[in-house]
Amino acid sequence: MSSSTPGTNEPEPTDGLKAFGAALKSFRKRAGYTQESLAPEIGYSAHFIASIEQGRRFPPPRFVDQTEVTLDAFGTLRLVAHQLSRQRGLASWFKRWAQLEQEALTLYTYECRMVPGLLQTPAYAHALFADQLPPLNDEQIEAQLTALLERQTLLTERPNTAYSFILEEHLFHRRMGGAAVTLELIDHILGLAERRNIEIQVMPLVSESHAGLAGPMQLLETPDNKWFAYCEGQRSGQLISDPKEISVLQTRYARMRSQALSLKASMSLLQRMRGAQ
């Protein structure tokens, strides 16, 4: 796919990301650091730094602040980061949540409408984008796919973040994009579930009790242990910071985890569904 580097799930570097990466590399070398020696100074891995210098990864706000101070970059890194257009393709109401995702310690997601973006394959995502109304043109679909692939690097580049997903069983029975797309999607999710920091549960079709009937939700914990929530509708999204509201959603999510199939049973169900495709 033209929006990603051949053989990877990473987006092609944009001019803005490459400019930031070049600036970071220049200030790093000026300060006498290698990627390996800089890593412990700023609290990020050498691999993470390399990804940003190569323009393959969007720099989170804390990363920008840490490198700006450590490398004494005269405000340059903050200025270049401010001008980045990495989030082209994301809905305007979602961008603040996407920024918070960058450094989340914990991220919980319940979905009943579609497989969440972080778990989607390019083919499944393309089917969703191609089905939107009003219709999107090819450039708009490409921009959304690029933004999606950028978000998905969170799953591989933040191994210390705890991810939990609760997915409705009917999402796989729908066969969005066709049987082959669904088969690939199930294989992809089964692979992700093998990672020790990713938990995926399936809410069965038949469930006499369900705490999530009010709709999808996302919850996350920041590095300073603050919690935020996000709920999205047809044409808008709501970022929630009120502790009382978040407490309600946390209670519902906790109940759903007990109502959904166990991790093992969820994987067993997906494997059986895979065989039926």
Side-chain angles (χ1 to χ4, degrees), residues 42-138:
I42 63 174
Y44 290 85
S45 69
H47 174 71
F48 190 94
I49 296 170
S51 293
I52 290 181
E53 289 189 355
Q54 293 163 16
R56 296 187 290 108
R57 186 77 164 82
F58 185 80
R62 191 167 71 88
F63 178 91
V64 176
D65 290 339
Q66 292 289 94
T67 52
E68 179 68 48
V69 173
T70 303
L71 302 179
D72 191 20
F74 311 107
T76 302
L77 294 178
R78 287 195 181 101
L79 177 63
V80 178
H82 181 70
Q83 297 174 347
L84 288 176
S85 58
R86 171 256 189 190
Q87 290 177 319
R88 178 174 174 261
L90 292 181
S92 59
W93 61 79
F94 186 76
K95 289 182 178 179
R96 174 56 180 152
W97 179 261
Q99 291 174 344
L100 290 171
E101 279 185 332
Q102 292 286 321
E103 296 190 296
L105 298 179
T106 307
L107 182 62
Y108 298 156
T109 302
Y110 163 64
E111 255 299 351
C112 56
R113 307 162 304 174
M114 66 192 79
V115 171
L118 288 176
L119 302 181
Q120 293 174 11
T121 61
Y124 180 86
H126 191 280
L128 292 175
F129 296 145
D131 213 30
Q132 284 190 23
L133 293 173
L136 302 176
N137 60 36
D138 290 344

Side-chain angles (χ1 to χ4, degrees), residues 96-97 100 106-108 218-222 224-230 239-242 246 249-250:
R96 174 56 180 152
W97 179 261
L100 290 171
T106 307
L107 182 62
Y108 298 156
Q218 296 187 69
L219 294 155
L220 67 73
E221 181 186 12
T222 66
D224 55 357
N225 305 115
K226 293 182 180 179
W227 282 85
F228 291 87
Y230 178 77
L239 180 66
I240 302 169
S241 59
D242 183 347
I246 291 172
L249 296 177
Q250 286 175 323

